[in-house]
Amino acid sequence: MTARNENPGPETVPVRPDDRGPGRPEHPGPGGPGADAAAPPARWEHLAPGVARRRLPGWDATVGAIAGDGGTLLVDSGSSLREGAGIRREVVELFGRPVTHVALTHGHFDHVLGTAAFAGVRVYGAVGLAGRLAEGREALRGGALAQGLSPHDTDEALDVLVVPDHPVSGELTLTLGEREVLLANLGPAHSGHDLVVCVPGEREVVFCGDLVEESGEPQAGRDAVPARWPAALDRLLELGGEDARYVPGHGAVVDADFVRAQRDQLARRFGVGG
């Protein structure tokens, strides 16, 4: 079985043996077996009023959607144009309005290659991500093909690759009508350009990207900066607080205790003090 490895190479840290990859049954999502045959809204997990997420089949990557009366923000876009187009349709069915903004949590293929399916939207990413994607098409292609995305789907997405046109340095408050959402640049850590999305509410929802993974141990590829990863999770916990629902880039929703334990595990794994 091939492990999911977004940045294959000699500097990559081995990942868990139960990881997603070619030949592994696709994750059916929170609805359980057969959920992907259900009506699209049944594939989505509702986290708060106007806030939902879906665990995509294949690599178990998260996409999130946050709806306000002035727009809808999508968190990550899937691994291909076909997947992105399906997400676009499902969000309309879910909230009755189209996606107007996309936030990319980092630049790995399973989170960004669907972005071109969302014509005319504003695309946000950590400062520097646009250049990294524009200059790193071959690395994206290699990672996608190594993980089993078809050459057709890979090249189709790369031919129309969309990079962020709204860079986030530090923190940015995005207004979706009556709803405000915080975008925070916490990288480099898991990758060179890590962005998280915080949705205030009675219980805050935090989309963590791959700074947090529930399906197994977090991965560190060649673009990771392990020495800064624990500090990024400290900041994540400051932003979300003890009662928040933390949505990993892969896996089930977790709480602050899980994030804190993973932070300590990473510090031990990479020999980072504090």
Side-chain angles (χ1 to χ4, degrees), residues 56-126:
L56 296 171
W59 296 277
D60 191 22
T62 286
V63 290
I66 302 113
D69 63 1
T72 301
L73 171 67
L74 185 74
V75 182
D76 288 339
S77 63
S79 63
S80 68
L81 286 180
R82 178 168 47 185
E83 193 162 63
I87 294 164
R88 183 188 66 217
R89 290 190 296 269
E90 291 180 7
V91 170
V92 172
E93 292 188 43
L94 197 64
F95 293 127
R97 60 189 69 201
V99 171
T100 55
H101 304 71
V102 173
L104 300 176
T105 62
H106 60 295
H108 296 159
F109 83 93
D110 48 337
H111 298 264
V112 304
L113 288 186
T115 309
F118 300 88
V121 304
R122 297 181 179 182
V123 182
Y124 297 79

Side-chain angles (χ1 to χ4, degrees), residues 11-16 190 210-211 213 216-221 224 226-227 229-230 261-273:
E11 299 174 47
T12 299
V13 177
V15 298
R16 58 269 187 185
H190 165 74
D210 285 6
L211 287 173
E213 293 200 44
E217 291 186 10
Q219 292 185 72
W229 203 333
Q262 193 160 91
R263 179 257 181 236
D264 293 343
Q265 176 193 20
L266 286 166
R268 291 191 299 270
R269 176 178 166 188
F270 297 120
V272 180

Side-chain angles (χ1 to χ4, degrees), residues 37-243:
R43 304 171 188 170
W44 290 76
E45 178 182 1
H46 290 267
L47 306 176
V51 184
R53 64 83 70 111
R54 185 179 174 201
R55 293 169 70 173
L56 296 171
W59 296 277
D60 191 22
T62 286
V63 290
I66 302 113
D69 63 1
T72 301
L73 171 67
L74 185 74
V75 182
D76 288 339
S77 63
S79 63
S80 68
L81 286 180
R82 178 168 47 185
E83 193 162 63
I87 294 164
R88 183 188 66 217
R89 290 190 296 269
E90 291 180 7
V91 170
V92 172
E93 292 188 43
L94 197 64
F95 293 127
R97 60 189 69 201
V99 171
T100 55
H101 304 71
V102 173
L104 300 176
T105 62
H106 60 295
H108 296 159
F109 83 93
D110 48 337
H111 298 264
V112 304
L113 288 186
T115 309
F118 300 88
V121 304
R122 297 181 179 182
V123 182
Y124 297 79
V127 64
L129 178 60
R132 170 76 177 185
L133 290 175
E135 297 168 7
R137 291 171 187 257
E138 284 306 308
L140 272 175
R141 188 176 193 275
L145 294 175
Q147 292 307 306
L149 192 64
S150 74
H152 173 271
D153 284 349
T154 300
D155 291 336
E156 180 184 52
L158 288 173
D159 283 346
V160 290
L161 180 68
V162 171
V163 303
D165 52 6
H166 290 73
V168 179
S169 178
E171 298 176 4
L172 173 70
T173 298
L174 181 62
T175 301
L176 303 172
E178 87 294 346
R179 163 165 264 158
E180 291 188 341
V181 177
L182 179 70
L183 309 182
N185 182 345
L186 300 191
H190 165 74
S191 74
H193 310 90
D194 295 301
L195 187 76
V196 302
V197 178
C198 303
V199 188
E202 185 174 339
R203 188 177 182 190
E204 186 151 350
V205 177
V206 182
F207 290 92
C208 308
D210 285 6
L211 287 173
V212 178
E213 293 200 44
E214 184 273 339
S215 302
E217 291 186 10
Q219 292 185 72
R222 285 182 291 177
D223 59 343
V225 183
R228 296 187 61 172
W229 203 333
L233 293 185
D234 287 337
R235 180 58 181 149
L236 184 74
L237 287 165
E238 290 175 1
L239 288 171
E242 288 299 309
D243 297 327

